Amino acid sequence: MAASERSRPSLFWPLAAIVIPPVSLLAKITVTGAEKLPRTGAYVVAPNHYSEFDPLIVAIAVFRSGRLPRFMAKDSLFRVPVLGWILRKTGMIPVARASSASAAKQTLTQSRELVENGRGVIVYPEGTLTRDPGMWPMRGKSGAVRLALTGDIPLIPMAQWGTQQIMGRYQKGLSLWPLRKRVRVLIGDPVDLSDLRGHAGDPGVLNIATERLMDAITALLEELRDEKAPDKRWNPGDHGQKETGRLDS
């Protein structure tokens, strides 16, 4: 059943009771394509990212779809008192800035644990808020596809739009009025990586897979926005912008 995972007692219950009511007061969230999220087993969800508020929207969308929302989080957060305990108890996945060799080993461990525990994880392929002036998805990093390819895990693209009315990119504070602003979430079909299986360590393959993922996310966002994205994806390096906050470099 769709709600089987979230129906089991867990720390998510009190967290949901705390988080969902105030977010629902600010955002009228509609989720389309929830049936495309696997009912059971491991998965990687990859959303677009343009607001500090949108992880809450994504988490609620996943929760409504019958799965428990788990994110990748910087390993330093796991050492923070109380917060670290919550992260561990809810099955969040630590990720560290590391060399390619240790990162590959970490990815192997993480993907194996996802498969063994039948858990899903939310990974922002951009790693930080998009720098694109029009808030379209920018160039992606390989973390999400590396995780999916290593464990042969379904890679699910997701797009959301409307969150900027609540908290714009780099905005300090929330726009509280009017309440119940419309936020739409669209979940897409799994990205086809079947021809790339077994090559998670090949940089060229990772680039191809990442482009497929970013194309899929962009297509979903085009549908939500009812407009066409720029032909060329924004690359911060081409514009002298430093990419900070990366979790999957």
Side-chain angles (χ1 to χ4, degrees):
M1 298 293 292
S4 61
E5 184 184 27
R6 76 176 191 190
S7 66
R8 293 193 294 269
S10 72
L11 189 57
F12 280 97
W13 284 10
L15 288 176
I18 293 169
V19 172
I20 291 178
V23 174
S24 297
L25 188 63
L26 294 173
K28 182 180 180 181
I29 305 170
T30 58
V31 181
T32 304
E35 73 282 356
K36 295 177 180 179
L37 201 64
R39 302 298 90 184
T40 59
Y43 64 87
V44 177
V45 165
N48 63 319
H49 194 21
Y50 60 83
S51 168
E52 297 286 3
F53 194 81
D54 63 47
L56 292 174
I57 300 297
V58 170
I60 291 174
V62 170
F63 190 75
R64 283 186 182 178
S65 301
R67 302 302 303 265
L68 297 181
R70 297 179 173 93
F71 289 85
M72 277 193 163
K74 295 178 183 178
D75 64 343
S76 58
L77 296 177
F78 286 76
R79 296 190 290 272
V80 178
V82 182
L83 176 60
W85 181 84
I86 293 174
L87 293 174
R88 286 189 292 273
K89 287 295 183 180
T90 52
M92 303 299 172
I93 297 179
V95 59
R97 294 183 181 276
S99 66
S100 57
S102 58
K105 184 177 180 180
Q106 184 184 56
T107 299
L108 180 62
T109 300
Q110 292 167 342
S111 61
R112 183 186 298 119
E113 290 177 351
L114 286 176
V115 172
E116 290 177 351
N117 294 303
R119 291 176 174 175
V121 65
I122 301 162
V123 182
Y124 283 105
E126 297 163 275
T128 188
L129 303 183
T130 180
R131 302 297 182 85
D132 182 272
M135 294 194 294
W136 293 99
M138 65 176 179
R139 184 189 66 169
K141 291 283 187 169
S142 63
V145 299
R146 199 167 59 231
L147 195 60
L149 281 171
T150 299
D152 195 16
I153 300 170
L155 178 61
I156 315 295
M158 174 190 284
Q160 53 84 29
W161 189 244
T163 310
Q164 73 279 8
Q165 300 176 76
I166 300 169
M167 187 176 192
R169 182 174 51 182
Y170 310 128
Q171 178 181 327
K172 302 295 184 182
L174 302 175
S175 299
L176 301 178
W177 191 261
L179 299 175
R180 302 277 289 164
K181 298 178 183 71
R182 186 186 186 198
V183 178
R184 292 174 295 155
V185 179
L186 183 57
I187 302 172
D189 292 313
V191 178
D192 186 5
L193 302 177
S194 57
D195 59 321
L196 306 178
R197 289 172 184 160
H199 300 282
D202 185 328
V205 167
L206 292 177
N207 287 338
I208 293 170
T210 301
E211 277 301 300
R212 289 184 191 175
L213 172 60
M214 300 313 297
D215 285 345
I217 296 171
T218 301
L220 293 174
L221 188 56
E222 286 179 332
E223 185 175 341
L224 287 177
R225 294 176 59 167
D226 193 24
E227 57 183 310
K228 188 71 176 173
D231 292 333
K232 184 178 180 182
R233 207 177 325 277
W234 188 267
N235 184 344
D238 293 341
H239 300 272
Q241 296 175 327
K242 184 178 180 180
E243 298 177 76
T244 59
R246 289 285 174 186
L247 295 182
D248 55 0
S249 299

